[in-house]
C-alpha cells in the first residue's frame, strides 16, 4: 500500500524501493514481482524487468499479467511471432482484455498483415472505446493502408480524448493532406508544433507541405526550426533518426537552397527498440501519473509504435521509445506522424502507447 501511495504521488523511484523491500520479505509473491517488473519496464530497464517478470512466471506460469508484460517486451524488440505465442496463452485467461487485443493487432501490423491488425484493433476498440492509444493505432494502420478518411475518423476521436499530444495532430495533418485539405492540414501542423517543440519530424513534414504549396518562406522557417530541434536532441544524446527522414531533410534543404546542415552529415539508422506498446509509450506519448492499480496499468501500457507511412505522404518518420504494461485486467493501452513512416504502439494490460509519417509510442 505504501508503494501505491508513492505511485499516486508520481514518485517512481521511491515506489520501486518500497517494492524491492517487499520482495525481500515475500520473494515468492507473484503480484509484487510482477508490479516491480512492470515499473522497471516503464523506466526502460529491460534487464531487471525481464528478471522480475521471469521470477513471477517461475512461481506462477499462468500469471497472465506477467505473460502479457513479457510479450510486450518481445514485441518491442521485433520478436512478433514469439510475442504472439505468449499472447495466445493470455487470451485463454482474459479473452476480453483491450490491451491484449491492442498488442496482438500491432504484432500483425509489424508483420505487415494489415487486415488482421485492423480486425484485432477494432475488437480492442469495442472493448475499450475511450482508450486513445487504440484509436491512435487504428489511425496509424489506416494511414499505412492509404485509407485516409478512416484514419481521419480515428485520429479525430483520439485527439478528443488526448488533446495535448502533438503526434496525433501531426498524423491528422498527414491524413488531411492526402484528403486534399491543405488549409486544415496547416492548422493541424501548427498545433502539433506548438504542443511538441522538440520533435523535428513535425517541422519537417510541415515544411514539406508549405514547400509544395509554394510558401517557401514558411517552409524555410520550419526547416530552420527542425534543425534547432535536431541540435537539441543531439546535445541530449538521443540523436536517432530514420534514414528516410534524413534523406527527405537533405532533399528539402537542397530545394530551399540552404545546403546540407551539419546535423544531417551522418545519417543514423532508426533503432527498432522503441515503443512507444504495452508498455511500449512511449512510447512515447504523454506520461500520466501513477496511482491506483488502474493508473499504474495505464502508465505502463505499452504502445509499440511501428511507424510506417503511407506511400502517398511526403515526409519521414522517427521511432519513439516503447510504452509499458498494465497491472490489472482493466482496459488501457502507446508514434509521430510525418509524411513518411511511423511507429506503432503496444499496450499493457490493466489501464494500459505519434508516429512519424507523412505517419504512432504498438
Amino acid at each position: 500500500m505504501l508503494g501505491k501511495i508513492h505511485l499516486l504521488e508520481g514518485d517512481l523511484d521511491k515506489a520501486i524501493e518500497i517494492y524491492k523491500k517487499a520482495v525481500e520479505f515475500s520473494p515468492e509473491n507473484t503480484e509484487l514481482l510482477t508490479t516491480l517488473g512492470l515499473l522497471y519496464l516503464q523506466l526502460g530497464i529491460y534487464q531487471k524487468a525481464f528478471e522480475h517478470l521471469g521470477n513471477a512466471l517461475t512461481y506462477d506460469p499462468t500469471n497472465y499479467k506477467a505473460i502479457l508484460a513479457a510479450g510486450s517486451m518481445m514485441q518491442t524488440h521485433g520478436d512478433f511471432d514469439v510475442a504472439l505465442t505468449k499472447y495466445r496463452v493470455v487470451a485463454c485467461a482474459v479473452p476480453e482484455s483491450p490491451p491484449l487485443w491492442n498488442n496482438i493487432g500491432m504484432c500483425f501490423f509489424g508483420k505487415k498483415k494489415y487486415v488482421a491488425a485492423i480486425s484485432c484493433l477494432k475488437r480492442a476498440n469495442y472493448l475499450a472505446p475511450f482508450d486513445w492509444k487504440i484509436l491512435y493505432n487504428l489511425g496509424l494502420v489506416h494511414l499505412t493502408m492509404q485509407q485516409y478518411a478512416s484514419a481521419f475518423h480515428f485520429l479525430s476521436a483520439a485527439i478528443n480524448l488526448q488533446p495535448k499530444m502533438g503526434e496525433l495532430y501531426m498524423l491528422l495533418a498527414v491524413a488531411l493532406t492526402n484528403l486534399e485539405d491543405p488549409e486544415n492540414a496547416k492548422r493541424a501542423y501548427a498545433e502539433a508544433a506548438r504542443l511538441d517543440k522538440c520533435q523535428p519530424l513535425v517541422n519537417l513534414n510541415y515544411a514539406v507541405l508549405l514547400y509544395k504549396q509554394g510558401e517557401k518562406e514558411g517552409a524555410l522557417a520550419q526547416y530552420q526550426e527542425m534543425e534547432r530541434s535536431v541540435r537539441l536532441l543531439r546535445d541530449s544524446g538521443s540523436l536517432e533518426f530514420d534514414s528516410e527522414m534524413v534523406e527527405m531533410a537533405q532533399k528539402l534543404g537542397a530545394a530551399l537552397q540552404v545546403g546540407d546542415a551539419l546535423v544531417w552529415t551522418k545519417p543514423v539508422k532508426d533503432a527498432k527498440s522503441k515503443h512507444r506498446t504495452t508498455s511500449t509509450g512511449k512510447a512515447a506519448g504523454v506520461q500520466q501519473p501513477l496511482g491506483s492499480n488502474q493508473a499504474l496499468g495505464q502508465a505502463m501500457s505499452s504502445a509499440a509504435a511501428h511507424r510506417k507511412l503511407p506511400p502517398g505522404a511526403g515526409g519521414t518518420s522517427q521511432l519513439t521509445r516503447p510504452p509499458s504494461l498494465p497491472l490489472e485486467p482493466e482496459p488501457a493501452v502507446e508514434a509521430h506522424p510525418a509524411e513518411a513512416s511511423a511507429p506503432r504502439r503496444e499496450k499493457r494490460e490493466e489501464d494500459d502507447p505519434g508516429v512519424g509519417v507523412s505517419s504512432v509510442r504498438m
Side-chain angles (χ1 to χ4, degrees):
M1 292 306 297
L2 183 58
K4 289 182 179 180
I5 292 174
H6 284 305
L7 292 176
L8 286 169
E9 293 291 332
D11 194 336
L12 281 182
D13 293 333
K14 287 186 178 180
I16 287 177
E17 290 302 318
I18 293 296
Y19 279 114
K20 285 170 66 177
K21 291 181 181 179
V23 169
E24 291 178 3
F25 286 108
S26 305
E28 297 183 8
N29 188 313
T30 57
E31 183 177 354
L32 291 175
L33 289 168
T34 301
T35 301
L36 189 55
L38 290 173
L39 288 173
Y40 279 126
L41 185 59
Q42 183 187 1
L43 294 176
I45 308 175
Y46 298 111
Q47 185 61 38
K48 289 188 177 181
F50 195 81
E51 175 185 342
H52 287 87
L53 292 172
N55 289 338
L57 290 173
T58 299
Y59 295 116
D60 182 9
T62 62
N63 187 323
Y64 68 89
K65 296 177 185 177
I67 296 173
L68 183 58
S72 172
M73 280 196 294
M74 296 170 185
Q75 181 174 352
T76 296
H77 291 86
D79 298 329
F80 302 118
D81 291 325
V82 178
L84 285 171
T85 301
K86 297 292 184 184
Y87 295 149
R88 200 170 287 124
V89 177
V90 179
C92 296
V94 282
E96 296 186 355
S97 166
L100 169 65
W101 289 105
N102 176 83
N103 284 8
I104 291 175
M106 297 318 292
C107 273
F108 283 125
F109 180 66
K111 291 165 65 69
K112 302 186 186 302
K113 297 182 178 180
Y114 302 128
V115 175
I118 289 178
S119 178
C120 293
L121 288 170
K122 285 194 173 179
R123 179 166 183 173
N125 180 242
Y126 171 78
L127 295 170
F130 299 114
D131 192 326
W132 68 270
K133 294 178 182 177
I134 297 174
L135 294 168
Y136 174 102
N137 288 337
L138 276 166
L140 176 61
V141 177
H142 281 294
L143 272 180
T144 304
M145 297 185 70
Q146 302 181 48
Q147 297 174 345
Y148 303 115
S150 295
F152 174 85
H153 168 77
F154 290 113
L155 292 170
S156 296
I159 287 174
N160 287 330
L161 298 170
Q162 188 73 12
K164 301 299 183 183
M165 186 176 183
E167 295 175 3
L168 286 169
Y169 286 96
M170 179 174 68
L171 287 177
L172 184 67
V174 172
L176 288 168
T177 300
N178 286 279
L179 289 172
E180 299 181 358
D181 188 355
E183 293 304 318
N184 283 319
K186 290 176 187 177
R187 294 189 181 96
Y189 276 130
E191 183 67 12
R194 184 185 70 82
L195 293 171
D196 195 346
K197 300 183 183 300
C198 294
Q199 175 50 268
L201 194 55
V202 174
N203 303 112
L204 177 58
N205 283 343
Y206 194 7
V208 170
L209 174 62
L210 292 174
Y211 180 78
K212 289 181 177 179
Q213 294 293 314
E215 301 178 24
K216 292 191 177 181
E217 290 186 4
L220 179 58
Q222 289 300 320
Y223 186 88
Q224 292 171 341
E225 185 66 19
M226 176 200 66
E227 289 187 321
R228 184 193 66 80
S229 300
V230 169
R231 291 190 184 94
L232 289 175
L233 291 174
R234 181 183 58 186
D235 294 341
S236 66
S238 58
L239 191 65
E240 289 183 357
F241 297 112
D242 185 84
S243 57
E244 186 181 1
M245 177 179 178
V246 175
E247 181 183 357
M248 180 61 66
Q250 291 173 335
K251 289 181 178 179
L252 182 60
L256 294 173
Q257 298 180 346
V258 294
D260 292 335
L262 293 177
V263 289
W264 302 112
T265 52
K266 287 188 178 180
V268 180
K269 201 170 184 182
D270 218 358
K272 291 228 170 181
S273 65
K274 89 166 196 118
H275 297 257
R276 311 165 213 276
T277 314
T278 325
S279 149
T280 56
K282 157 128 126 168
V286 177
Q287 284 191 348
Q288 302 179 3
L290 298 178
S292 60
N293 282 344
Q294 182 179 10
L296 178 59
Q298 185 175 14
M300 308 183 119
S301 88
S302 93
H306 179 75
R307 310 186 172 187
K308 268 258 178 181
L309 192 55
T316 38
S317 77
Q318 164 188 12
L319 297 184
T320 60
R321 70 184 185 293
S324 358
L325 300 162
L327 291 179
E328 305 283 12
E330 270 109 14
V333 209
E334 176 315 212
H336 299 123
E339 299 185 347
S341 62
R344 63 184 172 290
R345 302 207 165 213
E346 302 174 3
K347 150 180 176 178
R348 298 291 171 55
E349 145 93 342
E350 178 181 81
D351 204 18
D352 268 11
V355 250
V357 190
S358 160
S359 142
V360 109
R361 324 275 190 4
M362 241 198 354

